[in-house]
C-alpha cells in the first residue's frame, strides 16, 4: 500500500466515522428525550435513505468532476449536519443531520472508490487496492461510536448529559474536515471522454449488461446476509438467554473477522480470482446459515460468527474489482451509484421483511430460507467467471 492510497483510506475513515458516531449518538439522545422506539427506527433509517436517492446523481457527478470536488461538497454537508446537531440538539435537527451525514458519506465513498479503481492497473492491483480500501469502514465503525460514547459518558457533568452529546456532535463535525486534509493533495486522474453517438446514456442501460446485472444480484444477496445476521443474532441470543455483552461479543467477533480477512487479502491478491472467491463465499455462507440456529452455546455461536465474517468480509473487494472491469471507465461512478443505491435500499427495506418473516417461520426458518437463497445464487456468481472486461471508451 502506497502513501497516496493510505491518505485516501484515512480520508474515508474520517468521514465514515463521523456518520457512524452520529448513528450511535443521535438515537441515544432521542431515547433520552423520551421518543419511542418507532421514532428511533425512523431516525436510523434516514442515515441510509439519503444514499438511496443520492447515490446515482453522486456517481454521475463523480464521473464528470473526479475526486476532490465531490469530496469537498460531501465534507461541507457532513460538517453542516453534525454542526447543526451540536447547536440545536432537537429531534427534527437530528433527522436532518442523519440525512446530511448519511448522504455525504455515500457521495464521498463513491468518489473515493471511483478514483482508486481508475488508478489501479490490472485485475491483481484492483483486488489489492479494494481490499485495503474495504478496511476503512471496519475501522470507522469502531472509531466513530467508540469516541462518541466516551464523550457522551465523560464530557458532561454526568454520563448522558446534554453537554456530553454536544461534545460528541462537535467531534463528528470536525472529523470530515480531517477527510479534506487527507484528500486535498491527491492528484486527479485525467478525465475520460465517452464516444458521442447521439443518444443520452441512462444509468439503467447498465442493467441491460448481463455481467453487471448478475454482479448486482450477487452483491444484493450477500448484503442481505450481512443484514440478516445483524438482525437475527440479538434476537437469537435473547431467545437463548444470553447477556447483552455476550451478544455484542458475537457480533464483534464477526466484524473483527471481516476486517482481518480484508487485511490478509492484498497479500495473496495475485492468487485470487474474483468469481471463485465470491462463489466460495456464497456456498460457505449457505452452509453456515444452515447450522447457525442449531448451535447450542455462545462459544459455538461465536465460532460460527467468525467463520461467517471471513466469508462475507472477503466479498466486497472482489465485487468492486469486477465492477470496475465490467463497466466502461467513463461510467464507473454511475455503476458505483447503482450498487450503493441497491445496498442501502435493501438496508432500509429488508429489516422490515425479516421481522415479518421471523414471525411467520421463526428465526431458524429465516436463517434457512436466506441461506438456501444464497446457496442457489452461487450459480449466478460462478457464471461471472466468463465475463470479459468492458472495452475502453473511444477518445
Amino acid at each position: 500500500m502506497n502513501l497516496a492510497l493510505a491518505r485516501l483510506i484515512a480520508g474515508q475513515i474520517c468521514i465514515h466515522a463521523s456518520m457512524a458516531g452520529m448513528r450511535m449518538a443521535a438515537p441515544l439522545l432521542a431515547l433520552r428525550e423520551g421518543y419511542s422506539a418507532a421514532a428511533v427506527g425512523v431516525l436510523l433509517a434516514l442515515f441510509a435513505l439519503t444514499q438511496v436517492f443520492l447515490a446515482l446523481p453522486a456517481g454521475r457527478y463523480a464521473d464528470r468532476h473526479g475526486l476532490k470536488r465531490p469530496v469537498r461538497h460531501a465534507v461541507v454537508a457532513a460538517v453542516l449536519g453534525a454542526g447543526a446537531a451540536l447547536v440545536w440538539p432537537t429531534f427534527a435537527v437530528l433527522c436532518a443531520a442523519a440525512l446530511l451525514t448519511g448522504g455525504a458519506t455515500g457521495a464521498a465513498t463513491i468518489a473515493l472508490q471511483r478514483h482508486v479503481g481508475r488508478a489501479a492497473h490490472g485485475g491483481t492491483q484492483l483486488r489489492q487496492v479494494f481490499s485495503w480500501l474495504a478496511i476503512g469502514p471496519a475501522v470507522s465503525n469502531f472509531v466513530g461510536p467508540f469516541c462518541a460514547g466516551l464523550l457522551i459518558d465523560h464530557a458532561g457533568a454526568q454520563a448522558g448529559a446534554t453537554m456530553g452529546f454536544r461534545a460528541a456532535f462537535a467531534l463528528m463535525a470536525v472529523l470530515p474536515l480531517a477527510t479534506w486534509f487527507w484528500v486535498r493533495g491527491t492528484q486527479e486522474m485525467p478525465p475520460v471522454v465517452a464516444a458521442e453517438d447521439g443518444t443520452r446514456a441512462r444509468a439503467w442501460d447498465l442493467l441491460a449488461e448481463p455481467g453487471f446485472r448478475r454482479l448486482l444480484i450477487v452483491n444484493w444477496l450477500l448484503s442481505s446476509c450481512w443484514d440478516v445476521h445483524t438482525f437475527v443474532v440479538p434476537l437469537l441470543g435473547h431467545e437463548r438467554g444470553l447477556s447483552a455483552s455476550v451478544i455484542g461479543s458475537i457480533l464483534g467477533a464477526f466484524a473483527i473477522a471481516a476486517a482481518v480477512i480484508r487485511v490478509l487479502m492484498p497479500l495473496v491478491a495475485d492468487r485470487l480470482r474474483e468469481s471463485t472467491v465470491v462463489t466460495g463465499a456464497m456456498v460457505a455462507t449457505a452452509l453456515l446459515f444452515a447450522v447457525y440456529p442449531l448451535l447450542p452455546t455462545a462459544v459455538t455461536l461465536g465460532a460460527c460468527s467468525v467463520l461467517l465474517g471471513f466469508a462475507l468480509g472477503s466479498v466486497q473487494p472482489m465485487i468492486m474489482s469486477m465492477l470496475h472491469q465490467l463497466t466502461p471507465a467513463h461510467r464507473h461512478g454511475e455503476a458505483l451509484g447503482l450498487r450503493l443505491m441497491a445496498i442501502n435500499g435493501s438496508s432500509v427495506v429488508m429489516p422490515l421483511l425479516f421481522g415479518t418473516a421471523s414471525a411467520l417461520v421463526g428465526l431458524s426458518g429465516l436463517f434457512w430460507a436466506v441461506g438456501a437463497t444464497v446457496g442457489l445464487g452461487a450459480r449466478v456468481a460462478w457464471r461471472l467467471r466468463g465475463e470479459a472486461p468492458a472495452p475502453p471508451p473511444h477518445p
Side-chain angles (χ1 to χ4, degrees), residues 30 41 85 90 121 141 196 205 282 326 378:
T90 64
H121 302 285
N141 280 330
E196 294 290 344
D205 295 339
M282 295 182 80
L326 288 171

Side-chain angles (χ1 to χ4, degrees), residues 67-126:
L67 172 68
K68 288 191 277 191
R69 188 182 294 186
V71 170
R72 184 167 62 243
H73 293 333
V75 166
V76 171
V79 171
L80 287 176
L86 164 65
V87 178
W88 302 288
T90 64
F91 185 77
V93 174
L94 292 178
C95 290
L99 292 169
L100 285 168
T101 55
T105 302
T109 298
I110 290 171
L112 286 163
Q113 289 173 341
R114 177 186 177 277
H115 179 88
V116 167
R118 287 202 59 213
H121 302 285
T124 297
Q125 199 171 89
L126 278 170

Side-chain angles (χ1 to χ4, degrees), residues 1 5 123-135 222 226 256-281 307-322:
M1 179 168 58
L5 179 59
T124 297
Q125 199 171 89
L126 278 170
R127 292 189 289 272
Q128 288 176 330
V129 297
F130 280 118
S131 295
W132 288 120
L133 196 65
I135 298 170
L222 290 165
W226 199 295
I256 291 172
V260 168
I261 194 67
R262 290 172 179 177
V263 172
L264 297 177
M265 287 180 72
L267 306 179
V268 293
D270 56 335
R271 302 179 185 177
L272 302 177
R273 183 165 179 170
E274 292 91 345
S275 59
T276 303
V277 173
V278 174
T279 304
L307 295 175
L308 191 63
F310 286 145
L312 293 179
S314 67
V315 169
Q316 182 179 336
M318 302 296 105
I319 294 286
M320 299 302 296
S321 174
M322 282 192 285

Side-chain angles (χ1 to χ4, degrees), residues 20-353:
M22 290 294 297
R23 195 168 53 195
M24 191 274 287
L28 289 180
L29 180 57
L31 289 171
R32 196 205 70 173
E33 295 299 313
Y35 286 91
S36 66
V40 171
V42 170
L43 176 59
L44 285 171
L46 294 178
F47 284 96
L49 189 63
T50 321
Q51 298 184 44
V52 175
F53 295 103
L54 286 185
L56 198 51
R60 288 172 173 162
Y61 192 80
D63 281 333
R64 293 195 303 268
H65 299 290
L67 172 68
K68 288 191 277 191
R69 188 182 294 186
V71 170
R72 184 167 62 243
H73 293 333
V75 166
V76 171
V79 171
L80 287 176
L86 164 65
V87 178
W88 302 288
T90 64
F91 185 77
V93 174
L94 292 178
C95 290
L99 292 169
L100 285 168
T101 55
T105 302
T109 298
I110 290 171
L112 286 163
Q113 289 173 341
R114 177 186 177 277
H115 179 88
V116 167
R118 287 202 59 213
H121 302 285
T124 297
Q125 199 171 89
L126 278 170
R127 292 189 289 272
Q128 288 176 330
V129 297
F130 280 118
S131 295
W132 288 120
L133 196 65
I135 298 170
V139 174
S140 58
N141 280 330
F142 169 77
V143 171
F146 178 74
C147 294
L150 284 179
L151 290 171
I152 291 169
D153 284 343
H154 301 292
Q158 59 185 9
T162 301
M163 185 56 66
F165 282 100
R166 287 181 184 272
F169 295 147
L171 177 61
M172 297 308 113
V174 170
L175 282 173
L177 297 176
T179 294
W180 182 243
F181 169 80
W182 293 115
V183 172
R184 64 189 175 91
T186 302
Q187 183 176 355
E188 291 278 12
M189 300 293 295
V192 179
V193 181
E196 294 290 344
D197 58 2
T199 60
R200 183 174 180 269
R202 297 178 302 173
W204 302 110
D205 295 339
L206 291 170
L207 296 175
E209 298 296 327
F212 183 75
R213 190 168 60 247
R214 292 189 192 110
L215 188 64
L216 274 192
I217 292 171
V218 168
N219 199 179
W220 174 76
L221 286 173
L222 290 165
S223 176
S224 297
C225 291
W226 199 295
D227 289 337
V228 78
H229 181 260
T230 303
F231 175 83
V232 171
V233 165
L235 300 179
L236 190 65
H238 179 74
E239 190 180 82
R240 302 281 175 85
L242 302 179
S243 67
S245 59
V246 171
I247 294 171
S249 298
I250 293 172
L251 290 173
F254 171 84
I256 291 172
V260 168
I261 194 67
R262 290 172 179 177
V263 172
L264 297 177
M265 287 180 72
L267 306 179
V268 293
D270 56 335
R271 302 179 185 177
L272 302 177
R273 183 165 179 170
E274 292 91 345
S275 59
T276 303
V277 173
V278 174
T279 304
M282 295 182 80
V283 172
T285 299
L287 295 174
L288 291 168
F289 269 31
V291 302
Y292 211 115
L294 304 177
L295 300 176
T297 65
V299 173
T300 53
L301 287 172
C304 194
S305 184
V306 168
L307 295 175
L308 191 63
F310 286 145
L312 293 179
S314 67
V315 169
Q316 182 179 336
M318 302 296 105
I319 294 286
M320 299 302 296
S321 174
M322 282 192 285
L323 183 145
H324 277 76
Q325 294 178 66
L326 288 171
T327 55
H330 67 285
R331 304 192 72 183
H332 282 168
E334 280 184 296
L336 290 166
L338 277 174
R339 172 186 171 272
L340 192 64
M341 184 171 66
I343 290 175
N344 282 284
S346 175
S347 295
V348 172
V349 174
M350 294 308 288
L352 302 176
L353 296 180

